Amino acid sequence: MPPCPSTKESPEVDSFVRSVNAPPTKNDPTSSTATKKEQPLKSYTVAQVSSHNTKEDAWIIYNNKVLDITKWITSHPGGEQTITRFAGMDATDELRAFHADWVLETKLPHFVIGTVSDAPETTELVEDFRKLGEEFDKLGYFHVSPWYYVYKVVTVFCILICSLGLLFKTESFAAHTLSAVLLGIFWQQFAFVGHDCGHMSAKTHARDNIDVPRLGALVTLFNGISVAWWKATHNVHHAMPNSVDCDPDIAHLPVFALDKKMFESLFNKYHGRVMEFDWAARKIFVPYQHLWYYPIMCVARFNLYIQSVLFLASWNDGHGGRTKLDMAALIGFLSWFSFLVSCIPTWGERVAFVLLSHAVGGLLNVQITLSHFSRPIFDSTNKEGTGKYGGDFFTRNVIASLDVACPTYLDWFHGGLQFQTLHHCYPRLGRQHLRKTEPLIASLCKKHSLPYTSRSFVECNMEIYETLKNTGIQARTWSPLIYESMCAQG
């Protein structure tokens, strides 16, 4: 867990955060070697814990122990929203998925205030998925060979060098066109490396400390997308995939609606506002969203630039991770890319270069949305516990994910996203190990009758097209007056 800035709420909170961030020592009472006598812990019921479910009063359950995380929320490296959404709930599997064992063993004891007296029995499904994760850990699959990423980084920068060479060393329009294509491929491939590092799945051994702020700034400098913004949205997405009012990765109104639940203008907890199903959504975008999909994906990177700028410009919205270094890196990207485009001789070529490079880079947006857009959407508005997010951690991530079946020689193209189910259940699993472990999770899903789904790349595109088309047809006949009459009481 990377160090976090101290909060400014009070000297007591500031002292507490520093103590949690401090590395464990042999005299640390949270260290496995501590000799200090432990005090008896108070016992709480699940119902009692569930009442502490706000940012101002947040308890969670981990391994049948009760943790008071209220003081820590604003300093959580994964962002406030990721951890706040599980306040009052059992977050054992969520914490295990996103944190290495040494983090859990040395940091969490700071927060323990009691035990759970009436913890429900763990289901066989959850037990099996946990055992599979433990087996991956024994086999060393949460670590990768350093040479794996040396090869990846060298390869992607060779692509960038070729792109720049074609642009600056030739005057041919065809060569400049190829340069734009290669630049788009570079953006796509380098984003995969940043994605791996952000998930801590690029570690070479257990105690590796990937400096996400500095490494993320490098990714931002070359890719133009703030890694701080990405982490803020992506962590929430992984914890609550396809949750209709929580997952930011499916909150795209007025442009896209993936389910008729989104016609109800729901309050989105991530964005902190109502996602209006307004006139533009009803009349222009959603009814024809299957036709808009690919054109929008071609220019989607521009929206990511805008989101990055807005995120870095807002410091009091409950999302952490912003750094001046990330902001400087984004300015650096905008500077070098503007200079690059200015070197192209004519305005016609400049426009063509920008649009083509972004359209090719938009392949990444297609790959990301293919993984979830056609999957079931979970309604969390009227449910309690983990059921409101689609069930336990493993069930919800299996149901919400779609794998892309492809030959081994195309693994480079998909960057690990083709094994979405495995990645969502075990996000720290190294990309180097995904293909050989995929049959294991497929067989486990079969054992427990979970709908593990894998399609070819073409079939995935057809499925998302049909999903958008069917929802669009429903939007054409939907009326706010009809909806209000159905919701009327009395």
Side-chain angles (χ1 to χ4, degrees):
M1 182 182 293
C4 308
S6 298
T7 71
K8 296 182 179 179
E9 298 180 15
S10 70
E12 292 80 8
V13 172
D14 185 70
S15 176
F16 175 80
V17 171
R18 285 200 302 271
S19 69
V20 172
N21 281 328
T25 67
K26 63 182 180 180
N27 294 320
D28 188 338
T30 67
S31 172
S32 59
T33 60
T35 59
K36 183 178 178 179
K37 185 177 179 180
E38 295 184 0
Q39 296 295 323
L41 293 173
K42 189 175 180 180
S43 182
Y44 299 94
T45 65
V46 171
Q48 286 177 308
V49 175
S50 67
S51 65
H52 299 268
N53 57 7
T54 66
K55 176 183 173 182
E56 294 74 23
D57 179 21
W59 292 7
I60 60 173
I61 298 172
Y62 174 75
N63 272 354
N64 294 333
K65 291 188 176 181
V66 180
L67 284 64
D68 184 351
I69 57 170
T70 308
K71 293 180 180 179
W72 176 243
I73 285 180
T74 56
S75 298
H76 180 231
E80 291 182 22
Q81 293 221 19
T82 312
I83 197 167
T84 305
R85 293 290 162 261
F86 292 93
M89 297 167 55
D90 189 326
T92 299
D93 293 303
E94 287 77 11
L95 288 169
R96 283 179 172 173
F98 300 120
H99 303 87
D101 287 343
W102 73 268
V103 175
L104 301 176
E105 292 166 2
T106 61
K107 305 299 182 182
L108 293 194
H110 283 280
F111 310 107
V112 175
I113 60 170
T115 60
V116 180
S117 60
D118 61 343
E121 185 176 348
T122 305
T123 65
E124 183 184 3
L125 182 152
V126 171
E127 286 286 0
D128 283 350
F129 272 89
R130 288 177 180 176
K131 288 177 182 176
L132 182 59
E134 291 168 2
E135 187 64 23
F136 289 158
D137 194 18
K138 291 177 183 177
L139 294 171
Y141 289 169
F142 291 117
H143 317 129
V144 296
S145 165
W147 296 109
Y148 180 80
Y149 280 100
V150 168
Y151 171 77
K152 290 291 181 186
V153 172
V154 169
T155 301
V156 296
F157 275 96
C158 282
I159 295 173
L160 177 61
I161 291 170
C162 289
S163 172
L164 297 178
L166 288 170
L167 185 64
F168 289 109
K169 297 296 184 180
T170 66
E171 297 181 359
S172 165
F173 178 77
H176 290 177
T177 300
L178 180 57
S179 173
V181 171
L182 290 175
L183 181 59
I185 294 174
F186 165 76
W187 282 333
Q188 178 215 29
Q189 292 296 311
F190 198 46
F192 292 147
V193 176
H195 174 260
D196 295 346
C197 292
H199 275 296
M200 300 294 179
S201 62
K203 287 184 162 188
T204 58
H205 56 83
R207 292 304 295 262
D208 262 0
N209 180 28
I210 297 178
D211 193 334
V212 175
R214 286 188 174 84
L215 191 58
L218 183 65
V219 176
T220 302
L221 175 63
F222 285 99
N223 244 37
I225 301 169
S226 167
V227 170
W229 167 81
W230 172 83
K231 279 182 67 66
T233 62
H234 201 66
N235 287 333
V236 176
H237 160 69
H238 260 266
M240 294 150 284
N242 282 22
S243 176
V244 70
D245 61 340
C246 294
D247 184 0
D249 281 16
I250 62 170
H252 298 299
L253 281 174
V255 180
F256 295 125
L258 309 181
D259 189 277
K260 63 181 181 181
K261 300 182 186 74
M262 296 179 175
F263 300 168
E264 301 170 14
S265 295
L266 298 175
F267 181 84
N268 186 275
K269 295 174 182 175
Y270 176 85
H271 293 292
R273 62 181 176 85
V274 174
M275 302 297 288
E276 293 283 356
F277 189 61
D278 55 16
W279 182 87
R282 296 197 305 270
K283 300 298 183 181
I284 299 176
F285 292 111
V286 175
Y288 313 102
Q289 61 185 350
H290 56 297
L291 303 177
W292 282 110
Y293 176 69
Y294 291 106
I296 287 175
M297 292 300 105
C298 288
V299 295
R301 280 188 64 88
F302 293 107
N303 178 58
L304 300 184
Y305 300 151
I306 295 171
Q307 295 301 319
S308 295
V309 170
L310 293 176
F311 179 83
L312 293 175
S314 304
W315 289 84
N316 298 309
D317 59 354
H319 301 295
R322 298 174 177 85
T323 65
K324 293 180 180 178
L325 184 61
D326 199 42
M327 185 176 293
L330 182 59
I331 295 172
F333 168 81
L334 297 174
S335 299
W336 76 255
F337 185 66
S338 298
F339 171 76
L340 191 73
V341 173
S342 70
C343 294
I344 300 174
T346 67
W347 275 104
E349 274 196 50
R350 290 173 184 173
V351 172
F353 183 90
V354 170
L355 292 179
L356 181 57
S357 61
H358 283 68
V360 174
L363 282 169
L364 178 63
N365 298 91
V366 173
Q367 290 169 308
I368 292 171
T369 54
L370 284 185
S371 301
H372 302 288
F373 267 26
S374 64
R375 300 294 88 202
I377 304 299
F378 304 127
D379 183 1
S380 66
T381 53
N382 298 311
K383 297 182 180 180
E384 297 298 328
T386 54
K388 67 182 179 180
Y389 297 140
D392 64 77
F393 176 77
F394 301 106
T395 297
R396 82 178 79 116
N397 277 289
V398 170
I399 293 174
S401 300
L402 174 64
D403 284 10
V404 179
C406 70
T408 305
Y409 62 81
L410 283 179
D411 282 350
W412 71 271
F413 175 73
H414 294 285
L417 299 187
Q418 72 272 37
F419 303 112
Q420 194 68 202
T421 305
L422 189 61
H423 169 61
H424 261 255
C425 290
Y426 308 99
R428 293 182 296 108
L429 197 65
R431 195 195 330 173
Q432 182 182 8
H433 308 296
L434 291 176
R435 178 166 288 278
K436 59 189 173 188
T437 53
E438 183 268 341
L440 298 177
I441 198 169
S443 63
L444 197 55
C445 290
K446 183 177 181 181
K447 174 184 176 181
H448 293 285
S449 300
L450 283 177
Y452 172 78
T453 312
S454 180
R455 305 270 192 271
S456 71
F457 186 65
V458 173
E459 289 171 334
C460 288
N461 278 271
M462 293 172 62
E463 190 168 301
I464 197 172
Y465 178 88
E466 288 300 320
T467 297
L468 294 173
K469 181 180 179 181
N470 292 336
T471 309
I473 291 173
Q474 292 176 320
R476 295 174 197 173
T477 58
W478 186 89
S479 165
L481 296 178
I482 295 175
Y483 171 72
E484 289 171 9
S485 67
M486 291 174 63
C487 296
Q489 297 182 3

